[in-house]
Amino acid sequence: MASADDALRPERRAVAPVAFDPDRDADPVPSPCVNVCELDAARQGCIGCFRLLGEISGWRAMGDGEKRAIWRQVLARRNQAMPQAEGP
């Protein structure tokens, strides 16, 4: 059962990441957003989707190639932060 503390700490909640393989899946490229929008001040990025501020703010204007490159970074950051997490 979730505690009150879990509600205040989204990084502790189980969040199903968006499943996307930037090297195999077809267009359109989905956003990595998982609706857990909280910034990590030290990393200057979101603890939910693992994107940095510039990646979040520029997402809509990016082409599919740029979005795929960000997905590769997101997956690397996610694997570094949660080594037990499975890939797409």
PDB file of all heavy atoms in Angstrom, residues 1-4 6 9-10 13 17 20-21 28 35 42 48 54 56-57 60 64 67 71 76 78 80 83-84:
ATOM      1  N   MET A   1       0.838  -1.171   0.000  1.00  0.00           N
ATOM      2  CA  MET A   1       0.000   0.000   0.000  1.00  0.00           C
ATOM      3  C   MET A   1       0.888   1.240   0.000  1.00  0.00           C
ATOM      4  O   MET A   1       1.887   1.305   0.698  1.00  0.00           O
ATOM      5  CB  MET A   1      -0.898  -0.021   1.228  1.00  0.00           C
ATOM      6  CG  MET A   1      -1.792   1.181   1.335  1.00  0.00           C
ATOM      7  SD  MET A   1      -2.900   0.975   2.749  1.00  0.00           S
ATOM      8  CE  MET A   1      -4.109   2.146   2.308  1.00  0.00           C
ATOM      9  N   ALA A   2       0.536   2.242  -0.812  1.00  0.00           N
ATOM     10  CA  ALA A   2       1.329   3.453  -0.923  1.00  0.00           C
ATOM     11  C   ALA A   2       1.156   4.319   0.316  1.00  0.00           C
ATOM     12  O   ALA A   2       0.062   4.446   0.855  1.00  0.00           O
ATOM     13  CB  ALA A   2       0.926   4.235  -2.163  1.00  0.00           C
ATOM     14  N   SER A   3       2.249   4.917   0.751  1.00  0.00           N
ATOM     15  CA  SER A   3       2.187   5.803   1.909  1.00  0.00           C
ATOM     16  C   SER A   3       1.978   7.243   1.452  1.00  0.00           C
ATOM     17  O   SER A   3       2.103   7.559   0.275  1.00  0.00           O
ATOM     18  CB  SER A   3       3.485   5.693   2.708  1.00  0.00           C
ATOM     19  OG  SER A   3       4.541   6.271   1.983  1.00  0.00           O
ATOM     20  N   ALA A   4       1.694   8.113   2.397  1.00  0.00           N
ATOM     21  CA  ALA A   4       1.546   9.535   2.082  1.00  0.00           C
ATOM     22  C   ALA A   4       2.856  10.087   1.536  1.00  0.00           C
ATOM     23  O   ALA A   4       2.863  10.955   0.675  1.00  0.00           O
ATOM     24  CB  ALA A   4       1.110  10.305   3.322  1.00  0.00           C
ATOM     25  N   ASP A   6       4.933   8.522  -0.393  1.00  0.00           N
ATOM     26  CA  ASP A   6       5.040   8.138  -1.800  1.00  0.00           C
ATOM     27  C   ASP A   6       4.323   9.132  -2.699  1.00  0.00           C
ATOM     28  O   ASP A   6       4.763   9.400  -3.817  1.00  0.00           O
ATOM     29  CB  ASP A   6       4.470   6.743  -2.039  1.00  0.00           C
ATOM     30  CG  ASP A   6       5.354   5.650  -1.453  1.00  0.00           C
ATOM     31  OD1 ASP A   6       6.550   5.927  -1.229  1.00  0.00           O
ATOM     32  OD2 ASP A   6       4.849   4.549  -1.225  1.00  0.00           O
ATOM     33  N   ARG A   9       6.596  11.964  -3.397  1.00  0.00           N
ATOM     34  CA  ARG A   9       7.868  11.616  -4.020  1.00  0.00           C
ATOM     35  C   ARG A   9       7.621  10.756  -5.248  1.00  0.00           C
ATOM     36  O   ARG A   9       7.697   9.540  -5.186  1.00  0.00           O
ATOM     37  CB  ARG A   9       8.765  10.903  -3.025  1.00  0.00           C
ATOM     38  CG  ARG A   9       9.044  11.739  -1.769  1.00  0.00           C
ATOM     39  CD  ARG A   9       9.930  10.997  -0.811  1.00  0.00           C
ATOM     40  NE  ARG A   9      11.219  10.752  -1.410  1.00  0.00           N
ATOM     41  CZ  ARG A   9      12.286  11.517  -1.239  1.00  0.00           C
ATOM     42  NH1 ARG A   9      12.216  12.575  -0.496  1.00  0.00           N
ATOM     43  NH2 ARG A   9      13.426  11.219  -1.824  1.00  0.00           N
ATOM     44  N   PRO A  10       7.337  11.405  -6.396  1.00  0.00           N
ATOM     45  CA  PRO A  10       6.993  10.638  -7.589  1.00  0.00           C
ATOM     46  C   PRO A  10       8.073   9.660  -8.041  1.00  0.00           C
ATOM     47  O   PRO A  10       7.773   8.660  -8.652  1.00  0.00           O
ATOM     48  CB  PRO A  10       6.766  11.701  -8.662  1.00  0.00           C
ATOM     49  CG  PRO A  10       6.865  13.006  -8.007  1.00  0.00           C
ATOM     50  CD  PRO A  10       7.318  12.813  -6.597  1.00  0.00           C
ATOM     51  N   ARG A  13       7.252   6.175  -7.011  1.00  0.00           N
ATOM     52  CA  ARG A  13       6.105   5.481  -7.574  1.00  0.00           C
ATOM     53  C   ARG A  13       6.549   4.667  -8.781  1.00  0.00           C
ATOM     54  O   ARG A  13       7.458   5.045  -9.509  1.00  0.00           O
ATOM     55  CB  ARG A  13       5.044   6.488  -8.038  1.00  0.00           C
ATOM     56  CG  ARG A  13       4.275   7.063  -6.887  1.00  0.00           C
ATOM     57  CD  ARG A  13       3.147   7.882  -7.403  1.00  0.00           C
ATOM     58  NE  ARG A  13       3.624   9.265  -7.441  1.00  0.00           N
ATOM     59  CZ  ARG A  13       3.186  10.176  -8.277  1.00  0.00           C
ATOM     60  NH1 ARG A  13       2.286   9.892  -9.163  1.00  0.00           N
ATOM     61  NH2 ARG A  13       3.648  11.399  -8.233  1.00  0.00           N
ATOM     62  N   PRO A  17       7.301   3.337 -18.140  1.00  0.00           N
ATOM     63  CA  PRO A  17       7.874   4.210 -19.154  1.00  0.00           C
ATOM     64  C   PRO A  17       7.259   3.941 -20.521  1.00  0.00           C
ATOM     65  O   PRO A  17       6.755   2.853 -20.784  1.00  0.00           O
ATOM     66  CB  PRO A  17       9.357   3.859 -19.147  1.00  0.00           C
ATOM     67  CG  PRO A  17       9.435   2.499 -18.561  1.00  0.00           C
ATOM     68  CD  PRO A  17       8.247   2.356 -17.647  1.00  0.00           C
ATOM     69  N   PHE A  20       9.453   2.569 -26.482  1.00  0.00           N
ATOM     70  CA  PHE A  20       9.809   3.018 -27.826  1.00  0.00           C
ATOM     71  C   PHE A  20      11.268   2.684 -28.063  1.00  0.00           C
ATOM     72  O   PHE A  20      12.110   2.909 -27.209  1.00  0.00           O
ATOM     73  CB  PHE A  20       9.581   4.530 -27.969  1.00  0.00           C
ATOM     74  CG  PHE A  20       9.928   5.060 -29.333  1.00  0.00           C
ATOM     75  CD1 PHE A  20       9.083   4.829 -30.407  1.00  0.00           C
ATOM     76  CD2 PHE A  20      11.088   5.771 -29.541  1.00  0.00           C
ATOM     77  CE1 PHE A  20       9.402   5.302 -31.678  1.00  0.00           C
ATOM     78  CE2 PHE A  20      11.424   6.249 -30.801  1.00  0.00           C
ATOM     79  CZ  PHE A  20      10.570   6.019 -31.866  1.00  0.00           C
ATOM     80  N   ASP A  21      11.554   2.136 -29.221  1.00  0.00           N
ATOM     81  CA  ASP A  21      12.932   1.841 -29.611  1.00  0.00           C
ATOM     82  C   ASP A  21      13.286   2.799 -30.742  1.00  0.00           C
ATOM     83  O   ASP A  21      12.771   2.662 -31.846  1.00  0.00           O
ATOM     84  CB  ASP A  21      13.054   0.394 -30.066  1.00  0.00           C
ATOM     85  CG  ASP A  21      14.489   0.015 -30.394  1.00  0.00           C
ATOM     86  OD1 ASP A  21      15.305   0.910 -30.724  1.00  0.00           O
ATOM     87  OD2 ASP A  21      14.801  -1.179 -30.342  1.00  0.00           O
ATOM     88  N   PRO A  28       5.274   8.116 -36.187  1.00  0.00           N
ATOM     89  CA  PRO A  28       5.858   9.279 -35.522  1.00  0.00           C
ATOM     90  C   PRO A  28       6.534   8.899 -34.207  1.00  0.00           C
ATOM     91  O   PRO A  28       6.189   7.905 -33.591  1.00  0.00           O
ATOM     92  CB  PRO A  28       4.649  10.178 -35.270  1.00  0.00           C
ATOM     93  CG  PRO A  28       3.505   9.237 -35.122  1.00  0.00           C
ATOM     94  CD  PRO A  28       3.810   8.079 -36.045  1.00  0.00           C
ATOM     95  N   ASN A  35       4.119  11.825 -17.517  1.00  0.00           N
ATOM     96  CA  ASN A  35       3.267  12.639 -16.652  1.00  0.00           C
ATOM     97  C   ASN A  35       3.698  12.632 -15.186  1.00  0.00           C
ATOM     98  O   ASN A  35       2.872  12.691 -14.286  1.00  0.00           O
ATOM     99  CB  ASN A  35       1.800  12.239 -16.790  1.00  0.00           C
ATOM    100  CG  ASN A  35       1.279  12.563 -18.170  1.00  0.00           C
ATOM    101  OD1 ASN A  35       1.551  13.634 -18.704  1.00  0.00           O
ATOM    102  ND2 ASN A  35       0.564  11.624 -18.755  1.00  0.00           N
ATOM    103  N   ALA A  42      19.698  19.412  -9.513  1.00  0.00           N
ATOM    104  CA  ALA A  42      21.114  19.095  -9.725  1.00  0.00           C
ATOM    105  C   ALA A  42      21.382  18.672 -11.168  1.00  0.00           C
ATOM    106  O   ALA A  42      22.409  19.007 -11.742  1.00  0.00           O
ATOM    107  CB  ALA A  42      21.546  18.000  -8.765  1.00  0.00           C
ATOM    108  N   GLY A  48      10.829  12.125 -14.233  1.00  0.00           N
ATOM    109  CA  GLY A  48       9.860  11.196 -14.815  1.00  0.00           C
ATOM    110  C   GLY A  48      10.295  10.667 -16.165  1.00  0.00           C
ATOM    111  O   GLY A  48      10.328   9.461 -16.397  1.00  0.00           O
ATOM    112  N   GLY A  54      16.196  21.683 -21.934  1.00  0.00           N
ATOM    113  CA  GLY A  54      16.215  22.061 -23.349  1.00  0.00           C
ATOM    114  C   GLY A  54      15.556  21.024 -24.242  1.00  0.00           C
ATOM    115  O   GLY A  54      14.931  21.364 -25.248  1.00  0.00           O
ATOM    116  N   ILE A  56      13.067  19.104 -23.312  1.00  0.00           N
ATOM    117  CA  ILE A  56      11.629  19.207 -23.079  1.00  0.00           C
ATOM    118  C   ILE A  56      11.064  20.410 -23.824  1.00  0.00           C
ATOM    119  O   ILE A  56      10.074  20.300 -24.551  1.00  0.00           O
ATOM    120  CB  ILE A  56      11.324  19.322 -21.567  1.00  0.00           C
ATOM    121  CG1 ILE A  56      11.720  18.031 -20.844  1.00  0.00           C
ATOM    122  CG2 ILE A  56       9.851  19.654 -21.333  1.00  0.00           C
ATOM    123  CD1 ILE A  56      11.746  18.149 -19.334  1.00  0.00           C
ATOM    124  N   SER A  57      11.705  21.552 -23.656  1.00  0.00           N
ATOM    125  CA  SER A  57      11.168  22.785 -24.239  1.00  0.00           C
ATOM    126  C   SER A  57      11.233  22.800 -25.757  1.00  0.00           C
ATOM    127  O   SER A  57      10.394  23.412 -26.411  1.00  0.00           O
ATOM    128  CB  SER A  57      11.884  24.009 -23.665  1.00  0.00           C
ATOM    129  OG  SER A  57      13.241  24.009 -24.030  1.00  0.00           O
ATOM    130  N   ARG A  60       8.656  19.893 -29.455  1.00  0.00           N
ATOM    131  CA  ARG A  60       7.679  20.080 -30.542  1.00  0.00           C
ATOM    132  C   ARG A  60       8.306  20.586 -31.832  1.00  0.00           C
ATOM    133  O   ARG A  60       7.810  20.294 -32.909  1.00  0.00           O
ATOM    134  CB  ARG A  60       6.574  21.028 -30.113  1.00  0.00           C
ATOM    135  CG  ARG A  60       5.647  20.405 -29.109  1.00  0.00           C
ATOM    136  CD  ARG A  60       4.525  21.363 -28.761  1.00  0.00           C
ATOM    137  NE  ARG A  60       3.684  20.771 -27.751  1.00  0.00           N
ATOM    138  CZ  ARG A  60       2.380  20.645 -27.884  1.00  0.00           C
ATOM    139  NH1 ARG A  60       1.772  21.081 -28.956  1.00  0.00           N
ATOM    140  NH2 ARG A  60       1.688  20.088 -26.921  1.00  0.00           N
ATOM    141  N   ASP A  64      12.129  14.253 -36.505  1.00  0.00           N
ATOM    142  CA  ASP A  64      12.180  12.881 -35.998  1.00  0.00           C
ATOM    143  C   ASP A  64      13.605  12.425 -35.688  1.00  0.00           C
ATOM    144  O   ASP A  64      13.823  11.696 -34.718  1.00  0.00           O
ATOM    145  CB  ASP A  64      11.516  11.915 -36.981  1.00  0.00           C
ATOM    146  CG  ASP A  64       9.993  12.000 -36.937  1.00  0.00           C
ATOM    147  OD1 ASP A  64       9.450  12.489 -35.920  1.00  0.00           O
ATOM    148  OD2 ASP A  64       9.363  11.580 -37.909  1.00  0.00           O
ATOM    149  N   LYS A  67      14.514  13.826 -32.318  1.00  0.00           N
ATOM    150  CA  LYS A  67      13.742  13.151 -31.277  1.00  0.00           C
ATOM    151  C   LYS A  67      14.299  11.754 -30.998  1.00  0.00           C
ATOM    152  O   LYS A  67      14.374  11.316 -29.858  1.00  0.00           O
ATOM    153  CB  LYS A  67      12.276  13.066 -31.673  1.00  0.00           C
ATOM    154  CG  LYS A  67      11.577  14.408 -31.639  1.00  0.00           C
ATOM    155  CD  LYS A  67      10.134  14.284 -32.086  1.00  0.00           C
ATOM    156  CE  LYS A  67       9.425  15.618 -32.049  1.00  0.00           C
ATOM    157  NZ  LYS A  67       8.023  15.512 -32.488  1.00  0.00           N
ATOM    158  N   TRP A  71      15.726  10.258 -27.545  1.00  0.00           N
ATOM    159  CA  TRP A  71      15.275   8.970 -26.997  1.00  0.00           C
ATOM    160  C   TRP A  71      16.469   8.106 -26.596  1.00  0.00           C
ATOM    161  O   TRP A  71      16.442   7.442 -25.562  1.00  0.00           O
ATOM    162  CB  TRP A  71      14.406   8.228 -28.014  1.00  0.00           C
ATOM    163  CG  TRP A  71      12.956   8.376 -27.729  1.00  0.00           C
ATOM    164  CD1 TRP A  71      12.051   9.163 -28.393  1.00  0.00           C
ATOM    165  CD2 TRP A  71      12.214   7.715 -26.700  1.00  0.00           C
ATOM    166  NE1 TRP A  71      10.807   9.028 -27.836  1.00  0.00           N
ATOM    167  CE2 TRP A  71      10.877   8.143 -26.794  1.00  0.00           C
ATOM    168  CE3 TRP A  71      12.546   6.812 -25.707  1.00  0.00           C
ATOM    169  CZ2 TRP A  71       9.878   7.695 -25.933  1.00  0.00           C
ATOM    170  CZ3 TRP A  71      11.559   6.358 -24.850  1.00  0.00           C
ATOM    171  CH2 TRP A  71      10.233   6.796 -24.969  1.00  0.00           C
ATOM    172  N   ALA A  76      19.513   5.847 -22.080  1.00  0.00           N
ATOM    173  CA  ALA A  76      20.785   5.724 -21.364  1.00  0.00           C
ATOM    174  C   ALA A  76      20.675   6.291 -19.952  1.00  0.00           C
ATOM    175  O   ALA A  76      21.157   5.668 -18.995  1.00  0.00           O
ATOM    176  CB  ALA A  76      21.888   6.444 -22.142  1.00  0.00           C
ATOM    177  N   ARG A  78      17.898   6.625 -18.185  1.00  0.00           N
ATOM    178  CA  ARG A  78      16.991   5.753 -17.425  1.00  0.00           C
ATOM    179  C   ARG A  78      17.745   4.516 -16.948  1.00  0.00           C
ATOM    180  O   ARG A  78      17.617   4.110 -15.793  1.00  0.00           O
ATOM    181  CB  ARG A  78      15.799   5.339 -18.296  1.00  0.00           C
ATOM    182  CG  ARG A  78      14.782   4.495 -17.550  1.00  0.00           C
ATOM    183  CD  ARG A  78      13.746   3.909 -18.466  1.00  0.00           C
ATOM    184  NE  ARG A  78      12.978   4.906 -19.181  1.00  0.00           N
ATOM    185  CZ  ARG A  78      12.270   4.651 -20.281  1.00  0.00           C
ATOM    186  NH1 ARG A  78      12.243   3.443 -20.798  1.00  0.00           N
ATOM    187  NH2 ARG A  78      11.589   5.605 -20.865  1.00  0.00           N
ATOM    188  N   GLN A  80      20.920   4.207 -16.453  1.00  0.00           N
ATOM    189  CA  GLN A  80      21.909   4.599 -15.450  1.00  0.00           C
ATOM    190  C   GLN A  80      21.236   4.843 -14.100  1.00  0.00           C
ATOM    191  O   GLN A  80      21.761   4.447 -13.060  1.00  0.00           O
ATOM    192  CB  GLN A  80      22.641   5.852 -15.896  1.00  0.00           C
ATOM    193  CG  GLN A  80      23.748   6.268 -14.952  1.00  0.00           C
ATOM    194  CD  GLN A  80      24.498   7.490 -15.455  1.00  0.00           C
ATOM    195  OE1 GLN A  80      24.061   8.186 -16.363  1.00  0.00           O
ATOM    196  NE2 GLN A  80      25.634   7.744 -14.850  1.00  0.00           N
ATOM    197  N   PRO A  83      19.230   0.756 -13.056  1.00  0.00           N
ATOM    198  CA  PRO A  83      19.880  -0.330 -13.796  1.00  0.00           C
ATOM    199  C   PRO A  83      19.024  -1.576 -13.978  1.00  0.00           C
ATOM    200  O   PRO A  83      19.193  -2.304 -14.941  1.00  0.00           O
ATOM    201  CB  PRO A  83      21.103  -0.663 -12.953  1.00  0.00           C
ATOM    202  CG  PRO A  83      21.321   0.509 -12.070  1.00  0.00           C
ATOM    203  CD  PRO A  83      19.981   1.169 -11.902  1.00  0.00           C
ATOM    204  N   GLN A  84      18.059  -1.822 -13.094  1.00  0.00           N
ATOM    205  CA  GLN A  84      17.216  -2.987 -13.221  1.00  0.00           C
ATOM    206  C   GLN A  84      16.120  -2.797 -14.252  1.00  0.00           C
ATOM    207  O   GLN A  84      15.444  -3.739 -14.625  1.00  0.00           O
ATOM    208  CB  GLN A  84      16.593  -3.370 -11.867  1.00  0.00           C
ATOM    209  CG  GLN A  84      15.483  -2.457 -11.394  1.00  0.00           C
ATOM    210  CD  GLN A  84      15.953  -1.132 -10.790  1.00  0.00           C
ATOM    211  OE1 GLN A  84      17.143  -0.831 -10.767  1.00  0.00           O
ATOM    212  NE2 GLN A  84      15.038  -0.336 -10.302  1.00  0.00           N
TER     213      GLN A  84
END
